[in-house]
Amino acid sequence: MEELSPWAKSKKWLWKIAIALAVLFAVLVFLIVLGTLLFAPLANDFAMVSHIMWPTIGQYIVVISLFSFGVLGYIAIKRRKTVPVVMASIALIALFGSTGIVTHELQFIKQHGGKASALKALFPSKNPTDRTALEEYTAPNGKTYPIAVFAPENSSKPAPIIMHIHGGSWLMGTFEDFAADDYYFSKQGYLVFDVEYPLSTPSDPTWEDAPAAVSSALAWVGENAGRWNGDTSKIILTGESAGGNLATLVGYAAAAGKAQSGDNVPVPAAIAVDYPAIDPPALKETLKEALEQLIGGAFDDHPERLAAISAETYFSENAPPTFILQPAADTVVVPESVKGFAERAKAAGIDVTLIEFPYGPHAFDIMFADSIANQAWRSLMLNYLHEKGLGPEGSTNS
């Protein structure tokens, strides 16, 4: 038998590796598709793991499914034996299933007024984070905290204002974690401020200091936005997770005339949050350690502190219209807590729009720049603001 050349040997091993990967990918995607289609997002761990992948890496799952079907389909045609045909069939189901699920989430976004592209998610663009300025404000605790400013370019008309509060379980995070989104919204014509606030530690609970600081930051924005031609009649508070809690808490308190830092706090025109820790009493299991650190002890020992960090305490007919985006497979801020809050807020006369995204985990929109989830948050929020008349003057959400 003629000995194979080194190149031929390499090709043979590469083909074996390709087949092994194709089989592995086909089986994995097949199982993920089954877990997504057969179970509710939080029915069990298998279902949860299956649902969390689509808004973040769904486009890549489709690509590897296509690779698997290409390799296994070729072998099935060439060999025409049972095992290769079965594996090719599994790969085909995986390809159709993954493509169908990604198509479904894209259609879901479109149906709710947003827009997203799987191609953009597959080949993300560079997301700049350049800010215009870095300012400081003084909180009621006497300490200063940074405010990053992202101003729209060449804006001759007053710009609507976005004030963003970062998440991180009230104990970590910085405005720099969200600078790409801040920069993006400034390019859409918004004057964006991203604020930091006191973070809790085991020896320093900030259940009182954090909302008061954010309230002071809002007052600072109201007093200083004119330096960048900001329209203070169009202030939108935004945030995610713990930041969503603070945005809603501070916005509702200001509207109820109970601002945590005084009387000069402007009432925001709207609030837009995603997966917000908006109902702390309902999160005693999933955010137990973070909440107990925030309030400085056990829940039963400090019911008044738990109430103080709950936006429901400040329900009023003057509360700003509120937009919420909630992923279905969130195991931190469980969807039922957000849905329950929204129902109670509506019953209290507050204008609440809740979009329950059918896939995705907690923090699903910030894991990867330009992911389908990231595009969903950006475009759905912009669509909501335009519908409320809070877009830049003369702009459209096209």
Side-chain angles (χ1 to χ4, degrees):
M1 180 181 293
E2 184 179 351
E3 185 177 353
L4 294 175
S5 67
W7 170 239
K9 290 180 179 179
S10 297
K11 285 175 62 178
K12 185 176 181 180
W13 276 107
L14 286 173
W15 182 238
K16 288 182 178 180
I17 292 171
I19 294 173
L21 289 175
V23 170
L24 175 64
F25 290 154
V27 172
L28 284 176
V29 176
F30 177 78
L31 292 173
I32 292 169
V33 168
L34 285 184
T36 303
L37 298 180
L38 296 181
F39 301 102
L42 297 178
N44 49 56
D45 289 345
F46 174 48
M48 182 270 293
V49 171
S50 299
H51 279 82
I52 67 175
M53 300 195 179
W54 301 108
T56 52
I57 59 170
Q59 68 278 5
Y60 299 113
I61 294 177
V62 172
V63 170
I64 65 173
S65 298
L66 182 60
F67 162 77
S68 295
F69 178 66
V71 172
L72 298 175
Y74 171 79
I75 295 174
I77 292 173
K78 187 175 181 180
R79 296 184 181 178
R80 298 179 182 275
K81 293 184 178 180
T82 301
V83 172
V85 170
V86 169
M87 291 308 305
S89 300
I90 290 174
L92 182 61
I93 294 171
L95 176 60
F96 274 114
S98 59
T99 302
I101 292 169
V102 170
T103 300
H104 174 245
E105 61 183 347
L106 294 175
Q107 290 177 340
F108 180 91
I109 295 167
K110 183 178 180 180
Q111 289 168 359
H112 288 81
K115 55 184 177 181
S117 164
L119 193 61
K120 183 176 181 179
L122 194 60
F123 301 102
S125 60
K126 184 177 182 294
N127 277 252
T129 59
D130 302 334
R131 59 177 179 259
T132 306
L134 185 62
E135 302 285 331
E136 288 184 338
Y137 74 97
T138 302
N141 64 5
K143 298 179 181 179
T144 59
Y145 298 91
I147 295 185
V149 184
F150 299 79
E153 294 180 355
N154 305 320
S155 177
S156 59
K157 299 176 180 178
I161 298 165
I162 290 175
M163 182 177 127
H164 176 259
I165 304 112
H166 69 79
S169 301
W170 303 278
L171 52 81
M172 60 183 174
T174 168
F175 70 81
E176 293 179 347
D177 298 335
F178 304 90
D181 276 359
D182 294 334
Y183 181 87
Y184 171 83
F185 287 120
S186 74
K187 287 300 181 183
Q188 310 310 308
Y190 289 86
L191 172 59
V192 182
F193 297 92
D194 205 321
V195 309
E196 294 195 1
Y197 54 90
L199 301 176
S200 68
T201 67
S203 61
D204 184 18
T206 55
W207 62 274
E208 193 170 27
D209 285 351
V214 173
S215 183
S216 289
L218 179 55
W220 187 97
V221 167
E223 294 169 359
N224 291 275
R227 293 161 54 188
W228 297 276
N229 201 21
D231 182 354
T232 55
S233 70
K234 294 182 177 180
I235 298 177
I236 303 104
L237 292 186
T238 71
E240 58 289 309
S241 193
N245 163 273
L246 290 168
T248 312
L249 175 65
V250 169
Y252 283 13
K258 300 177 181 179
Q260 292 91 338
S261 63
D263 298 329
N264 62 337
V265 180
V267 177
I271 294 169
V273 293
D274 52 341
Y275 43 92
I278 208 166
D279 185 10
L283 303 175
K284 293 179 179 179
E285 296 298 327
T286 58
L287 278 171
K288 183 177 186 296
E289 291 183 6
L291 281 169
E292 288 186 343
Q293 179 168 299
L294 178 66
I295 66 174
F299 302 120
D300 292 342
D301 293 339
H302 302 290
E304 77 290 349
R305 295 183 181 183
L306 200 59
I309 59 168
S310 301
E312 189 167 354
T313 301
Y314 300 99
F315 276 179
S316 74
E317 60 183 13
N318 298 320
T322 304
F323 171 77
I324 305 171
L325 179 63
Q326 177 63 37
D330 192 337
T331 57
V332 179
V333 174
V334 290
E336 285 304 311
S337 73
V338 176
K339 187 175 180 180
F341 176 91
E343 291 173 350
R344 295 191 299 276
K346 289 178 181 179
I350 302 173
D351 178 3
V352 177
T353 298
L354 170 61
I355 295 180
E356 300 176 79
F357 201 80
Y359 314 99
H362 192 70
F364 74 140
D365 64 312
I366 61 174
M367 292 182 176
F368 302 103
D370 286 340
S371 67
I372 291 173
N374 185 236
Q375 294 178 63
W377 165 243
R378 290 176 173 182
S379 63
L380 291 170
M381 174 178 149
L382 285 177
N383 179 68
Y384 176 81
L385 295 180
H386 278 82
E387 286 182 346
K388 294 297 182 182
L390 297 173
E393 189 173 342
S395 70
T396 59
N397 187 37
S398 58

